[in-house]
Amino acid sequence: MEDIQTASTPKNITVCNSREEGSLKVAELIANEIKAKQEKGENIVLGLATGNTPKDVYKELIRMHKEEGLSFKNVISFNLDEYHPLAPEHHLSYHRFMDEQLFNHVDINRENINIPTGICKVDDVEEHCNSYEAKIESLGGIDLQLLGIGRNGHIGFNEPGSEANSKTRKIELHEVTRGDASNEFEGLEHVPLHAITMGVETITKAKKIVLMAFGKGKAEIMKQAISEPMNSKVPASYLQTHRSIDYILDKEAATLLSQTH
Ligand code: GLP
């Protein structure tokens, strides 16, 4: 695998030749973290993401499980977010997504899977969010957080306006986010208005973060996320000072970076 690394590219930004290369690299990184914990007889807490971006990572992890015996028995997972309201059985829920893209194909223990619920009663949302946060804490925090990025700079569903100290909570979805989801929901009117998402702080507390961005549609927001001063208009910008973050981009998503570094 050949990474395109120019002298001006910071070390933690890897520009890969293609989405496929980037995905293989991330899958390998995750597998190595899982195995390192297994060797110590420990569990690993993974923060997982949905969207198109991580699909090939999950595909490769499944291949590693089937062909190379990679086990997920020591994995405890926390997903970033879920639409609200949306039943887990809904074909576009993130529960379904995770089952179809990863969980149904590997040996993870079902009781180790955590995803915010999309069917929580409005009155119970706060308690649900607090206990999600507390459960992550009680397990020692997230070891490795996988992230995509929305075209408006959201991470998870931390929409523009989300502050650095935000925690797991219910959030109103931004018009760009709902617009981007309108095709798969077959009409904007069918896209849920809200979601439950881990907060920016929940994410930045992770020991390691990997953010992936592929395709030219992510070029402008990656430029802002990496090179503009940290601000709540681009929640992903709050990752800049994280002690261990890797940005994995393909060439298209990185096109505007050379102008700024
Ligand atoms: C959704 C998810 C995010 C994801 C983003 C980008 O809004 N909540 O976690 O990063 O979409 O999606 P995609 O990877 O399809 O571009």
Side-chain angles (χ1 to χ4, degrees):
M1 185 179 308
E2 200 192 323
D3 297 330
I4 305 159
Q5 200 92 42
T6 64
S8 58
T9 313
K11 276 204 189 61
N12 65 349
I13 303 176
T14 302
V15 183
C16 300
N17 286 308
S18 65
R19 164 190 295 257
E20 290 71 29
E21 273 192 16
S23 302
L24 291 185
K25 196 178 174 71
V26 174
E28 196 184 334
L29 190 149
I30 296 172
N32 287 342
E33 296 282 330
I34 293 175
K35 287 188 263 186
K37 289 282 194 177
Q38 279 166 359
E39 277 161 24
K40 290 194 264 179
E42 292 175 7
N43 286 332
I44 180 163
V45 182
L46 291 183
L48 297 178
T50 52
N52 285 319
T53 308
K55 279 186 179 169
D56 284 350
V57 173
Y58 296 147
K59 211 159 124 192
E60 174 63 5
L61 288 172
I62 294 168
R63 189 200 64 76
M64 288 172 163
H65 170 68
K66 297 206 158 125
E67 294 177 14
E68 297 170 8
L70 174 68
S71 174
F72 288 73
K73 286 273 182 224
N74 69 326
V75 172
I76 302 174
S77 70
F78 285 87
N79 262 80
L80 285 164
D81 47 17
E82 178 58 285
Y83 290 107
H84 190 277
L86 200 67
E89 302 78 32
H90 191 283
H91 69 289
L92 293 174
S93 80
Y94 288 164
H95 283 73
R96 270 285 281 276
F97 176 100
M98 289 309 300
D99 277 350
E100 288 167 4
Q101 300 294 326
L102 181 65
F103 297 147
N104 285 350
H105 311 284
V106 296
D107 61 345
I108 190 167
N109 290 324
R110 281 267 143 195
E111 62 270 27
N112 286 346
I113 295 171
N114 300 278
I115 305 178
T117 178
I119 49 170
C120 204
K121 290 202 199 87
V122 175
D123 286 350
D124 298 337
V125 166
E126 199 177 328
E127 196 192 320
H128 173 65
C129 293
N130 292 344
S131 61
Y132 201 74
E133 198 78 31
K135 193 167 181 190
I136 295 173
E137 288 280 314
S138 73
L139 291 162
I142 293 170
D143 292 304
L144 175 61
Q145 176 67 55
L146 193 59
L147 290 178
I149 183 170
R151 284 193 307 121
N152 60 2
H154 74 212
I155 43 175
F157 270 134
N158 288 285
E159 299 286 31
S162 298
E163 298 291 345
N165 63 357
S166 55
K167 308 238 174 25
T168 303
R169 68 207 185 287
K170 185 174 165 184
I171 191 158
E172 189 179 335
L173 294 177
H174 190 264
E175 56 188 316
V176 169
T177 304
R178 294 189 67 243
D180 282 350
S182 64
N183 265 352
E184 53 176 3
F185 276 91
E186 295 174 2
L188 188 60
E189 69 276 22
H190 300 129
V191 182
L193 291 169
H194 295 92
I196 292 180
T197 182
M198 280 186 196
V200 175
E201 188 181 294
T202 326
I203 293 169
T204 52
K205 270 163 79 181
K207 288 161 204 149
K208 252 186 204 175
I209 298 179
V210 177
L211 183 143
M212 296 182 292
F214 301 136
K216 59 177 185 300
K218 299 290 170 72
E220 173 59 33
I221 198 62
M222 281 315 297
K223 180 181 89 175
Q224 294 178 29
I226 287 175
S227 51
E228 283 189 7
M230 295 194 285
N231 73 92
S232 67
K233 282 192 203 139
V234 180
S237 66
Y238 288 126
L239 303 169
Q240 287 171 16
T241 52
H242 192 272
R243 62 189 188 281
S244 177
I245 175 156
D246 284 310
Y247 299 92
I248 309 284
L249 280 64
D250 66 358
K251 282 191 222 172
E252 292 183 341
T255 40
L256 299 177
L257 293 189
S258 51
Q259 297 166 15
T260 55
H261 287 290

